[in-house]
Amino acid sequence: MTVPILIEREGHRTWLKWHRGRRRASDPAFTGERILEAMRLGASVEVDLVIHAEGGCAILHDLTLERETTGSGKVRDIGATALRELHLRDNDGNPIAEKVRLLEDLCALLAREGIHPDALLQLDFKEDRQALTPEVVESFGASATPIAGSLILSGGDFEAIAMLAAAAPGIATGFDPCYDGALADLQARGNYLDFIREALATAPDAGMIYLDYEIVLAAEDAGVDIIAPIHAAGRRVDAWTIGGTDPLAIAQVERLLRLRVDQITTDDPEGLAEAFRS
């Protein structure tokens, strides 16, 4: 079976990032088993962070609990002990045996079990600067610092990312400028290069720029390569998120590989790796 880590094309490596800790499209999100597997293999893997009632972070995507867990209400209103008792849900909404993990739980697991030197865990912070308190920053630093060299912290509010990163020396950072409506706005205005220049200026310390793959391909359709100026600035590019391995998805990935993106976020890294094995 193909190890779903990267695709090499004409001397350029494009990593396949395990979106929400999934190796296969059928996997539930955020299970410790899959995240640990990815980190042992040397893969790139992503999880999301939202703040809970005690100032720490839960490994969840939504600010509310209903869709992803057996709980209800806002994550911000629930404490650590109660969160750890909630079960995750699978892709059909059914509860599974695995329970919600907090950031400190996941970091402690990885520190204890070991991490491949090439592995990279993306912590995608789903909130903004206004959500940060000194307690949140301190808790993040205490959790992330022991494995900071294997982490990259990302988000859409780079001020928040910089504040959190300062509490975890050695952690890498990334920036996602693709706000709601960005694709339609760019298609209407055609100012793709201005969009990239602004992103690079907003996040001068971000080593990775995360771009909606549809924006990358829309720019190419308009005759603009938005990957090249990011590479020229010494940064890397992640194109998110390819959902499956149908013919359309394969054609889109072919274009992203030709543009030499550095990483592709996918819900089915194993499927993509197998499709491009030859």
Side-chain angles (χ1 to χ4, degrees):
M1 181 178 294
T2 303
V3 179
I5 294 179
L6 57 84
I7 298 170
E8 190 156 7
R9 180 71 61 86
E10 297 180 356
H12 182 76
R13 286 185 170 183
T14 299
W15 295 83
L16 299 175
K17 188 179 73 190
W18 298 24
H19 185 224
R20 302 185 190 175
R22 291 187 174 110
R23 175 174 176 146
R24 307 184 184 97
S26 59
D27 286 338
F30 305 134
T31 64
E33 176 186 7
R34 282 293 192 229
I35 297 167
L36 180 58
E37 178 185 13
M39 297 299 281
R40 283 174 167 169
L41 285 173
S44 179
V45 59
E46 177 257 8
V47 299
D48 299 309
L49 302 181
V50 294
I51 299 170
H52 62 66
E54 296 175 30
C57 288
I59 307 296
L60 292 169
H61 175 275
D62 298 350
L63 300 183
T64 54
L65 292 162
E66 286 82 355
R67 185 176 69 90
E68 297 176 293
T69 80
T70 51
S72 62
K74 296 179 180 180
V75 179
R76 178 59 77 113
D77 295 334
I78 310 298
T81 300
L83 282 169
R84 288 186 176 108
E85 290 303 311
L86 299 178
H87 290 263
L88 295 172
R89 295 185 182 275
D90 65 18
N91 298 329
D92 296 320
N94 301 309
I96 62 174
E98 184 109 5
K99 293 182 178 180
V100 173
R101 289 178 186 267
L102 306 186
L103 177 60
E104 59 264 36
D105 302 333
L106 180 58
C107 290
L109 172 68
L110 296 176
R112 183 174 65 250
E113 297 295 332
I115 300 172
H116 190 287
D118 294 335
L120 185 64
L121 175 63
Q122 179 191 348
L123 305 175
D124 197 27
F125 186 59
K126 290 302 182 184
E127 307 202 39
D128 58 20
R129 167 66 183 85
Q130 285 68 40
L132 293 184
T133 64
E135 291 76 19
V136 172
V137 175
E138 181 181 0
S139 175
F140 177 84
S143 300
T145 295
I147 60 167
S150 298
L151 301 176
I152 181 167
L153 175 65
S154 66
D157 183 336
F158 200 71
E159 183 180 359
I161 298 308
M163 289 181 65
L164 289 169
I171 196 170
T173 58
F175 177 53
D176 184 346
C178 301
Y179 52 86
D180 290 342
L183 174 59
D185 181 70
L186 286 166
Q187 287 175 320
R189 297 174 182 268
N191 58 335
Y192 293 98
L193 292 179
D194 288 341
F195 173 73
I196 295 303
R197 281 191 284 265
E198 182 178 351
L200 294 174
T202 298
D205 298 323
M208 184 84 77
I209 304 297
Y210 296 88
L211 298 177
D212 181 342
Y213 81 89
E214 292 186 274
I215 289 176
V216 176
L217 299 184
E220 188 190 36
D221 289 339
V224 180
D225 179 357
I226 61 174
I227 307 302
I230 298 174
H231 284 165
R235 321 285 189 94
R236 303 175 70 232
V237 181
D238 176 298
W240 56 264
T241 299
I242 298 292
T245 55
D246 57 89
L248 175 59
I250 296 300
Q252 291 165 335
V253 171
E254 285 281 8
R255 294 178 64 186
L256 294 171
L257 293 174
R258 187 172 66 250
L259 289 166
R260 301 174 75 83
V261 300
D262 302 287
Q263 187 163 267
I264 295 173
T265 300
T266 171
D267 287 314
D268 192 2
E270 185 170 278
L272 277 186
E274 183 61 30
F276 285 88
R277 181 173 59 87
S278 61

